[in-house]
Amino acid sequence: MAAPKKSPIKETDQETAKETAKEKPQEKSQEKASEHGNGSPSVPEFTREQELSALRDMLLIRRFEEKAGQLYGMGAIGGFCHLYIGQEAIVVGMQMALKKGDQVITGYRDHGHMLATGMEAKGVMAELTGRHAGYSRGKGGSMHMFSKAENFFGGHGIVAAQVSLGTGLAFANRYRGNDFVSLTYFGDGAANQGQVYESFNMAELWKLPVIYIIENNRYAMGTSVTRSSAQTDFSKRGISFNIPGEQVDGMDVRAVKAAGDMAVAWCRAGKGPFILEMQTYRYRGHSMSDPAKYRTREEVDKVRHDSDPIEQVRNRLLAANMSEQDLKAIDAEVREIVNAAADFAQHAPEPDAAELWTDVYR
Protein backbone atom coordinates (compact mmCIF):
# COMPACT_ATOMS: atom_id res chain seq x y z
CA MET A 1 0.00 0.00 0.00
CA ALA A 2 1.39 3.38 -0.99
CA ALA A 3 2.36 5.77 1.77
CA PRO A 4 -0.04 8.69 2.20
CA LYS A 5 1.09 12.02 0.77
CA LYS A 6 2.29 14.63 3.20
CA SER A 7 0.01 17.59 3.70
CA PRO A 8 1.56 20.78 2.30
CA ILE A 9 0.44 22.54 5.45
CA LYS A 10 2.98 20.53 7.43
CA GLU A 11 5.84 21.28 5.06
CA THR A 12 8.70 23.03 6.83
CA ASP A 13 10.58 26.07 5.60
CA GLN A 14 13.74 23.95 5.57
CA GLU A 15 12.13 21.51 3.12
CA THR A 16 10.94 24.41 1.00
CA ALA A 17 14.44 25.85 1.00
CA LYS A 18 15.86 22.59 -0.34
CA GLU A 19 13.37 22.62 -3.20
CA THR A 20 13.94 26.27 -4.05
CA ALA A 21 17.73 26.16 -3.73
CA LYS A 22 17.95 25.13 -7.36
CA GLU A 23 16.07 28.22 -8.52
CA LYS A 24 17.46 31.64 -9.19
CA PRO A 25 15.48 34.72 -8.10
CA GLN A 26 15.05 35.69 -11.75
CA GLU A 27 13.89 32.24 -12.87
CA LYS A 28 10.55 33.35 -14.33
CA SER A 29 11.03 34.89 -17.72
CA GLN A 30 10.14 38.41 -18.68
CA GLU A 31 8.32 36.99 -21.70
CA LYS A 32 5.74 35.49 -19.34
CA ALA A 33 5.44 38.76 -17.48
CA SER A 34 4.75 40.65 -20.70
CA GLU A 35 1.55 38.68 -21.20
CA HIS A 36 -0.21 40.78 -18.58
CA GLY A 37 1.94 43.90 -18.66
CA ASN A 38 3.06 46.54 -21.11
CA GLY A 39 5.75 44.34 -22.69
CA SER A 40 9.00 43.76 -20.81
CA PRO A 41 11.84 45.92 -22.06
CA SER A 42 14.97 44.29 -23.37
CA VAL A 43 18.03 44.63 -21.18
CA PRO A 44 20.26 47.26 -22.78
CA GLU A 45 24.00 47.36 -22.33
CA PHE A 46 25.30 50.06 -20.00
CA THR A 47 27.95 52.53 -21.02
CA ARG A 48 31.21 52.41 -19.13
CA GLU A 49 30.15 55.47 -17.14
CA GLN A 50 26.84 53.86 -16.18
CA GLU A 51 28.56 50.67 -15.10
CA LEU A 52 31.02 52.59 -12.93
CA SER A 53 28.27 54.72 -11.40
CA ALA A 54 26.19 51.64 -10.60
CA LEU A 55 29.22 49.85 -9.16
CA ARG A 56 30.10 52.74 -6.83
CA ASP A 57 26.53 53.18 -5.63
CA MET A 58 25.98 49.47 -5.00
CA LEU A 59 29.35 49.13 -3.28
CA LEU A 60 28.48 52.07 -1.02
CA ILE A 61 25.28 50.32 0.07
CA ARG A 62 27.02 46.94 0.50
CA ARG A 63 29.95 48.29 2.54
CA PHE A 64 27.67 50.55 4.59
CA GLU A 65 25.41 47.63 5.51
CA GLU A 66 28.37 45.41 6.35
CA LYS A 67 29.68 48.11 8.69
CA ALA A 68 26.23 48.62 10.21
CA GLY A 69 26.10 44.91 10.93
CA GLN A 70 29.49 45.12 12.67
CA LEU A 71 28.43 48.11 14.78
CA TYR A 72 25.23 46.33 15.74
CA GLY A 73 27.22 43.34 16.91
CA MET A 74 29.40 45.69 18.98
CA GLY A 75 26.36 47.24 20.63
CA ALA A 76 26.86 50.66 19.02
CA ILE A 77 23.53 50.31 17.20
CA GLY A 78 20.45 49.25 19.12
CA GLY A 79 16.86 48.43 18.33
CA PHE A 80 15.89 46.99 14.98
CA CYS A 81 18.31 46.80 12.06
CA HIS A 82 17.35 45.28 8.70
CA LEU A 83 20.17 45.02 6.17
CA TYR A 84 19.84 45.37 2.38
CA ILE A 85 22.80 43.18 1.42
CA GLY A 86 22.07 41.40 -1.87
CA GLN A 87 19.28 43.72 -3.02
CA GLU A 88 21.40 46.74 -4.01
CA ALA A 89 20.65 46.65 -7.74
CA ILE A 90 17.00 47.53 -7.18
CA VAL A 91 17.33 50.97 -5.64
CA VAL A 92 20.38 51.87 -7.69
CA GLY A 93 18.74 50.91 -10.99
CA MET A 94 15.47 52.64 -10.15
CA GLN A 95 17.20 55.87 -9.12
CA MET A 96 18.86 55.94 -12.53
CA ALA A 97 15.37 56.18 -14.07
CA LEU A 98 14.22 59.15 -11.97
CA LYS A 99 14.53 62.90 -12.14
CA LYS A 100 14.77 65.54 -9.42
CA GLY A 101 11.40 65.90 -7.71
CA ASP A 102 10.36 62.25 -7.91
CA GLN A 103 9.66 60.75 -4.49
CA VAL A 104 10.76 57.57 -2.75
CA ILE A 105 9.12 55.83 0.21
CA THR A 106 9.77 52.39 1.65
CA GLY A 107 9.50 50.09 4.65
CA TYR A 108 12.04 49.30 7.34
CA ARG A 109 14.79 47.74 5.16
CA ASP A 110 15.64 51.26 4.13
CA HIS A 111 19.33 52.18 4.44
CA GLY A 112 20.00 51.33 0.79
CA HIS A 113 17.17 53.54 -0.38
CA MET A 114 18.49 56.44 1.67
CA LEU A 115 21.98 56.19 0.25
CA ALA A 116 20.70 55.72 -3.29
CA THR A 117 18.61 58.90 -3.11
CA GLY A 118 21.70 60.89 -2.13
CA MET A 119 21.47 61.02 1.66
CA GLU A 120 24.94 61.18 3.21
CA ALA A 121 26.45 58.08 4.79
CA LYS A 122 27.50 60.07 7.87
CA GLY A 123 23.97 61.27 8.56
CA VAL A 124 22.43 57.84 8.07
CA MET A 125 25.01 56.09 10.25
CA ALA A 126 24.70 58.78 12.93
CA GLU A 127 20.97 58.12 13.07
CA LEU A 128 21.63 54.41 13.50
CA THR A 129 23.82 55.14 16.52
CA GLY A 130 21.30 57.60 17.98
CA ARG A 131 23.32 60.80 17.51
CA HIS A 132 22.01 64.35 17.12
CA ALA A 133 23.72 64.62 13.71
CA GLY A 134 21.46 61.88 12.36
CA TYR A 135 18.69 62.61 9.87
CA SER A 136 16.05 62.37 12.61
CA ARG A 137 18.28 63.89 15.30
CA GLY A 138 19.00 60.48 16.73
CA LYS A 139 15.38 59.78 17.65
CA GLY A 140 14.23 57.72 14.67
CA GLY A 141 16.83 55.01 14.40
CA SER A 142 17.08 52.52 11.56
CA MET A 143 13.43 52.53 10.52
CA HIS A 144 12.41 56.18 10.81
CA MET A 145 14.51 58.76 9.03
CA PHE A 146 13.64 61.13 6.24
CA SER A 147 15.12 63.73 3.91
CA LYS A 148 12.99 66.48 2.43
CA ALA A 149 15.94 67.64 0.32
CA GLU A 150 16.29 64.24 -1.34
CA ASN A 151 12.52 63.56 -1.49
CA PHE A 152 12.89 60.49 0.70
CA PHE A 153 9.75 60.06 2.78
CA GLY A 154 10.82 57.19 5.07
CA GLY A 155 11.52 54.36 6.46
CA HIS A 156 8.30 53.00 8.02
CA GLY A 157 8.14 50.32 10.70
CA ILE A 158 4.53 49.24 10.23
CA VAL A 159 4.27 46.57 7.54
CA ALA A 160 2.80 48.08 4.32
CA ALA A 161 2.05 51.44 5.97
CA GLN A 162 4.17 53.16 3.34
CA VAL A 163 1.99 51.86 0.49
CA SER A 164 -0.97 54.08 1.31
CA LEU A 165 1.39 56.99 2.05
CA GLY A 166 3.18 56.52 -1.27
CA THR A 167 -0.18 56.50 -3.00
CA GLY A 168 -0.93 59.77 -1.23
CA LEU A 169 2.30 61.27 -2.56
CA ALA A 170 1.14 60.35 -6.06
CA PHE A 171 -2.26 61.90 -5.38
CA ALA A 172 -0.51 65.14 -4.37
CA ASN A 173 1.44 65.11 -7.63
CA ARG A 174 -1.74 64.62 -9.63
CA TYR A 175 -3.53 67.35 -7.66
CA ARG A 176 -0.70 69.81 -8.22
CA GLY A 177 -0.53 69.03 -11.92
CA ASN A 178 3.18 68.18 -12.01
CA ASP A 179 4.72 65.12 -13.68
CA PHE A 180 6.56 63.71 -10.68
CA VAL A 181 6.34 60.02 -9.86
CA SER A 182 6.11 58.28 -6.49
CA LEU A 183 8.24 55.14 -6.05
CA THR A 184 6.58 53.04 -3.38
CA TYR A 185 8.65 50.05 -2.23
CA PHE A 186 7.39 47.09 -0.22
CA GLY A 187 8.22 43.42 0.20
CA ASP A 188 6.61 40.12 -0.69
CA GLY A 189 5.33 39.79 2.88
CA ALA A 190 3.74 43.25 2.88
CA ALA A 191 2.11 42.46 -0.48
CA ASN A 192 -0.55 40.44 1.38
CA GLN A 193 -1.73 43.38 3.50
CA GLY A 194 -5.22 44.72 2.86
CA GLN A 195 -4.28 48.40 2.60
CA VAL A 196 -2.12 47.52 -0.41
CA TYR A 197 -5.21 46.62 -2.42
CA GLU A 198 -7.21 49.59 -1.20
CA SER A 199 -4.33 51.72 -2.47
CA PHE A 200 -4.27 49.85 -5.80
CA ASN A 201 -7.96 50.53 -6.30
CA MET A 202 -7.69 54.27 -5.64
CA ALA A 203 -4.49 54.63 -7.65
CA GLU A 204 -6.02 53.11 -10.77
CA LEU A 205 -9.37 54.84 -10.28
CA TRP A 206 -7.68 58.24 -10.21
CA LYS A 207 -4.79 57.33 -12.54
CA LEU A 208 -2.17 58.26 -9.97
CA PRO A 209 1.53 58.38 -10.97
CA VAL A 210 2.82 55.71 -8.58
CA ILE A 211 5.13 52.77 -9.23
CA TYR A 212 4.59 49.96 -6.76
CA ILE A 213 7.91 48.13 -6.42
CA ILE A 214 7.56 44.73 -4.78
CA GLU A 215 10.98 43.60 -3.56
CA ASN A 216 10.41 39.86 -3.62
CA ASN A 217 13.31 38.39 -1.65
CA ARG A 218 11.34 35.13 -1.30
CA TYR A 219 11.14 34.84 2.49
CA ALA A 220 9.38 37.91 3.94
CA MET A 221 10.12 37.67 7.69
CA GLY A 222 11.08 34.01 7.40
CA THR A 223 8.37 32.15 5.53
CA SER A 224 8.81 31.11 1.91
CA VAL A 225 6.45 32.77 -0.55
CA THR A 226 5.32 29.32 -1.65
CA ARG A 227 3.82 28.79 1.81
CA SER A 228 2.42 32.27 2.40
CA SER A 229 1.08 33.49 -0.94
CA ALA A 230 -1.58 31.86 -3.09
CA GLN A 231 -0.37 33.91 -6.07
CA THR A 232 3.43 33.97 -6.10
CA ASP A 233 3.67 35.99 -9.31
CA PHE A 234 3.44 39.36 -7.61
CA SER A 235 3.43 41.25 -10.90
CA LYS A 236 -0.14 39.93 -11.33
CA ARG A 237 -1.40 41.38 -8.07
CA GLY A 238 -2.92 44.38 -9.85
CA ILE A 239 -4.87 42.50 -12.53
CA SER A 240 -8.26 42.91 -10.85
CA PHE A 241 -7.61 46.67 -10.72
CA ASN A 242 -6.39 46.87 -14.34
CA ILE A 243 -2.89 47.78 -13.19
CA PRO A 244 -0.15 46.41 -15.48
CA GLY A 245 2.81 44.66 -13.94
CA GLU A 246 6.16 43.16 -14.89
CA GLN A 247 8.57 40.73 -13.33
CA VAL A 248 12.14 42.00 -13.32
CA ASP A 249 15.51 40.41 -12.60
CA GLY A 250 16.21 42.48 -9.51
CA MET A 251 19.79 41.21 -9.36
CA ASP A 252 20.73 42.89 -12.67
CA VAL A 253 20.95 46.66 -12.39
CA ARG A 254 20.54 47.01 -16.16
CA ALA A 255 17.23 45.13 -16.12
CA VAL A 256 16.02 47.27 -13.22
CA LYS A 257 16.95 50.50 -15.01
CA ALA A 258 15.16 49.37 -18.19
CA ALA A 259 12.01 48.42 -16.27
CA GLY A 260 12.20 51.67 -14.33
CA ASP A 261 12.42 53.72 -17.52
CA MET A 262 9.34 51.95 -18.88
CA ALA A 263 7.27 52.34 -15.72
CA VAL A 264 8.26 55.97 -15.21
CA ALA A 265 7.29 56.82 -18.79
CA TRP A 266 3.93 55.10 -18.23
CA CYS A 267 3.24 57.18 -15.14
CA ARG A 268 4.43 60.50 -16.60
CA ALA A 269 2.12 59.93 -19.57
CA GLY A 270 -0.86 59.96 -17.20
CA LYS A 271 -1.69 56.27 -17.61
CA GLY A 272 -1.87 55.57 -13.88
CA PRO A 273 0.04 53.17 -11.61
CA PHE A 274 2.43 50.39 -12.54
CA ILE A 275 3.66 47.34 -10.61
CA LEU A 276 7.24 46.08 -10.81
CA GLU A 277 8.05 42.81 -9.08
CA MET A 278 11.77 42.80 -8.41
CA GLN A 279 12.94 39.22 -8.01
CA THR A 280 15.81 39.49 -5.58
CA TYR A 281 17.42 37.86 -2.56
CA ARG A 282 18.70 39.04 0.81
CA TYR A 283 21.87 37.38 2.04
CA ARG A 284 21.32 38.13 5.71
CA GLY A 285 18.36 37.28 7.93
CA HIS A 286 15.21 39.36 8.09
CA SER A 287 16.86 41.48 10.77
CA MET A 288 20.05 41.27 12.80
CA SER A 289 18.26 39.05 15.31
CA ASP A 290 17.24 36.48 12.69
CA PRO A 291 19.51 33.40 12.32
CA ALA A 292 17.72 32.51 9.04
CA LYS A 293 17.46 28.78 9.78
CA TYR A 294 14.55 28.46 7.35
CA ARG A 295 16.93 28.19 4.37
CA THR A 296 20.14 26.36 3.65
CA ARG A 297 23.62 27.85 3.50
CA GLU A 298 24.00 26.16 0.11
CA GLU A 299 21.06 28.15 -1.23
CA VAL A 300 22.53 31.46 -0.11
CA ASP A 301 25.98 30.59 -1.49
CA LYS A 302 24.50 29.59 -4.84
CA VAL A 303 22.72 32.92 -5.26
CA ARG A 304 25.87 34.79 -4.28
CA HIS A 305 27.91 32.82 -6.81
CA ASP A 306 25.43 32.93 -9.69
CA SER A 307 23.58 36.23 -9.33
CA ASP A 308 25.36 38.75 -7.08
CA PRO A 309 24.50 42.22 -8.47
CA ILE A 310 27.89 43.75 -7.73
CA GLU A 311 29.89 40.86 -9.13
CA GLN A 312 27.88 41.03 -12.35
CA VAL A 313 29.00 44.63 -12.89
CA ARG A 314 32.59 43.87 -11.90
CA ASN A 315 32.76 41.01 -14.36
CA ARG A 316 31.43 43.16 -17.19
CA LEU A 317 33.98 45.87 -16.43
CA LEU A 318 36.79 43.34 -16.33
CA ALA A 319 35.62 41.96 -19.67
CA ALA A 320 35.77 45.53 -21.00
CA ASN A 321 39.47 45.69 -20.11
CA MET A 322 39.21 47.52 -16.81
CA SER A 323 41.95 46.37 -14.47
CA GLU A 324 41.42 44.56 -11.18
CA GLN A 325 43.60 47.22 -9.58
CA ASP A 326 41.25 50.01 -10.69
CA LEU A 327 38.24 48.12 -9.32
CA LYS A 328 40.00 47.60 -5.99
CA ALA A 329 40.75 51.32 -5.87
CA ILE A 330 37.02 52.10 -6.21
CA ASP A 331 36.23 49.68 -3.39
CA ALA A 332 38.94 51.28 -1.24
CA GLU A 333 37.43 54.74 -1.80
CA VAL A 334 34.01 53.48 -0.77
CA ARG A 335 35.39 51.76 2.32
CA GLU A 336 37.07 55.02 3.32
CA ILE A 337 33.72 56.85 3.10
CA VAL A 338 32.00 54.18 5.18
CA ASN A 339 34.76 54.01 7.78
CA ALA A 340 34.65 57.81 8.15
CA ALA A 341 30.88 57.63 8.59
CA ALA A 342 31.21 54.94 11.25
CA ASP A 343 33.86 56.92 13.15
CA PHE A 344 31.72 60.06 12.97
CA ALA A 345 28.62 58.18 14.13
CA GLN A 346 30.36 56.77 17.18
CA HIS A 347 31.84 60.07 18.37
CA ALA A 348 29.17 62.63 17.48
CA PRO A 349 27.22 63.99 20.48
CA GLU A 350 23.98 62.38 21.57
CA PRO A 351 20.74 64.41 21.50
CA ASP A 352 20.18 66.86 24.32
CA ALA A 353 17.52 65.85 26.84
CA ALA A 354 15.39 68.76 25.60
CA GLU A 355 14.97 66.90 22.30
CA LEU A 356 12.50 64.62 24.05
CA TRP A 357 9.94 67.42 23.70
CA THR A 358 10.58 68.37 20.08
CA ASP A 359 8.73 67.02 17.04
CA VAL A 360 6.01 65.53 19.28
CA TYR A 361 2.33 65.91 18.45
CA ARG A 362 0.27 66.97 21.46
Side-chain angles (χ1 to χ4, degrees):
M1 182 176 178
K5 294 181 179 179
K6 293 182 179 179
S7 168
I9 297 176
K10 297 180 181 178
E11 181 183 34
T12 64
D13 282 326
Q14 187 71 10
E15 290 168 340
T16 302
K18 290 177 181 178
E19 290 299 318
T20 58
K22 301 175 183 178
E23 302 173 3
K24 294 181 182 180
Q26 66 273 28
E27 178 190 25
K28 296 180 181 178
S29 68
Q30 290 188 337
E31 285 79 6
K32 180 179 178 182
S34 67
E35 293 175 4
H36 58 274
N38 193 40
S40 296
S42 59
V43 179
E45 294 297 321
F46 269 9
T47 65
R48 184 183 181 89
E49 290 70 25
Q50 286 177 312
E51 295 278 31
L52 288 171
S53 176
L55 178 67
R56 288 191 181 96
D57 291 345
M58 289 194 292
L59 273 174
L60 176 62
I61 297 171
R62 177 73 59 90
R63 301 307 179 217
F64 182 96
E65 294 290 64
E66 290 171 347
K67 180 62 70 173
Q70 292 174 9
L71 293 179
Y72 191 94
M74 294 165 55
I77 295 174
F80 292 99
C81 187
H82 306 81
L83 303 181
Y84 202 64
I85 298 174
Q87 301 183 205
E88 299 90 351
I90 300 173
V91 289
V92 171
M94 287 303 301
Q95 284 300 126
M96 296 174 79
L98 300 185
K99 70 176 183 179
K100 187 68 175 177
D102 292 331
Q103 303 119 334
V104 172
I105 190 168
T106 189
Y108 40 75
R109 196 179 307 281
D110 51 7
H111 311 152
H113 303 73
M114 298 169 191
L115 296 172
T117 58
M119 294 169 66
E120 294 185 4
K122 284 185 176 181
V124 178
M125 194 70 84
E127 186 60 40
L128 295 182
T129 58
R131 308 298 168 137
H132 188 266
Y135 274 96
S136 292
R137 300 182 193 170
K139 299 186 295 182
S142 174
M143 300 188 292
H144 305 102
M145 52 182 124
F146 314 82
S147 174
K148 183 177 180 181
E150 302 299 342
N151 286 304
F152 180 74
F153 289 82
H156 295 270
I158 298 175
V159 175
Q162 73 277 14
V163 179
S164 53
L165 295 174
T167 305
L169 291 171
F171 176 83
N173 292 335
R174 178 73 185 274
Y175 185 82
R176 291 166 178 157
N178 59 46
D179 69 342
F180 296 143
V181 174
S182 165
L183 263 60
T184 301
Y185 292 86
F186 54 105
D188 50 285
N192 293 322
Q193 291 285 321
Q195 62 185 305
V196 171
Y197 301 96
E198 295 180 56
S199 298
F200 283 0
N201 187 57
M202 288 187 286
E204 176 60 23
L205 189 64
W206 296 330
K207 297 297 181 186
L208 302 183
V210 53
I211 302 174
Y212 296 109
I213 303 169
I214 303 175
E215 297 182 291
N216 179 10
N217 60 31
R218 302 166 61 184
Y219 286 104
M221 286 184 66
T223 302
S224 170
V225 294
T226 60
R227 298 185 63 229
S228 60
S229 298
Q231 173 54 272
T232 58
D233 184 341
F234 293 94
S235 67
K236 293 181 178 179
R237 291 297 182 98
I239 286 180
S240 62
F241 304 99
N242 295 320
I243 301 176
E246 297 293 344
Q247 286 184 322
V248 184
D249 178 359
M251 306 296 274
D252 186 342
V253 68
R254 301 169 305 172
V256 174
K257 164 70 161 55
D261 287 338
M262 176 189 65
V264 166
W266 175 276
C267 289
R268 293 205 206 283
K271 296 180 179 180
F274 204 99
I275 295 173
L276 294 176
E277 178 198 345
M278 298 292 177
Q279 297 182 315
T280 186
Y281 198 85
R282 55 173 168 77
Y283 297 161
R284 301 290 183 91
H286 172 70
S287 67
M288 287 298 296
S289 60
D290 174 20
K293 293 182 179 180
Y294 41 81
R295 60 184 181 180
T296 64
R297 169 50 57 185
E298 291 76 18
E299 177 184 317
V300 179
D301 290 343
K302 179 173 175 56
V303 175
R304 276 183 176 272
H305 179 270
D306 295 347
S307 307
D308 185 81
I310 294 175
E311 287 303 308
Q312 288 187 50
V313 177
R314 288 186 76 260
N315 290 337
R316 290 197 295 269
L317 285 169
L318 288 171
N321 297 320
M322 189 167 188
S323 70
E324 184 72 41
Q325 185 176 358
D326 288 339
L327 291 175
K328 287 182 178 179
I330 294 173
D331 194 12
E333 292 172 8
V334 169
R335 288 179 185 273
E336 186 176 342
I337 293 171
V338 171
N339 287 335
D343 184 67
F344 174 79
Q346 293 177 88
H347 295 94
E350 296 181 353
D352 187 88
E355 282 291 338
L356 289 171
W357 303 102
T358 63
D359 305 315
V360 177
Y361 291 103
R362 301 184 184 183

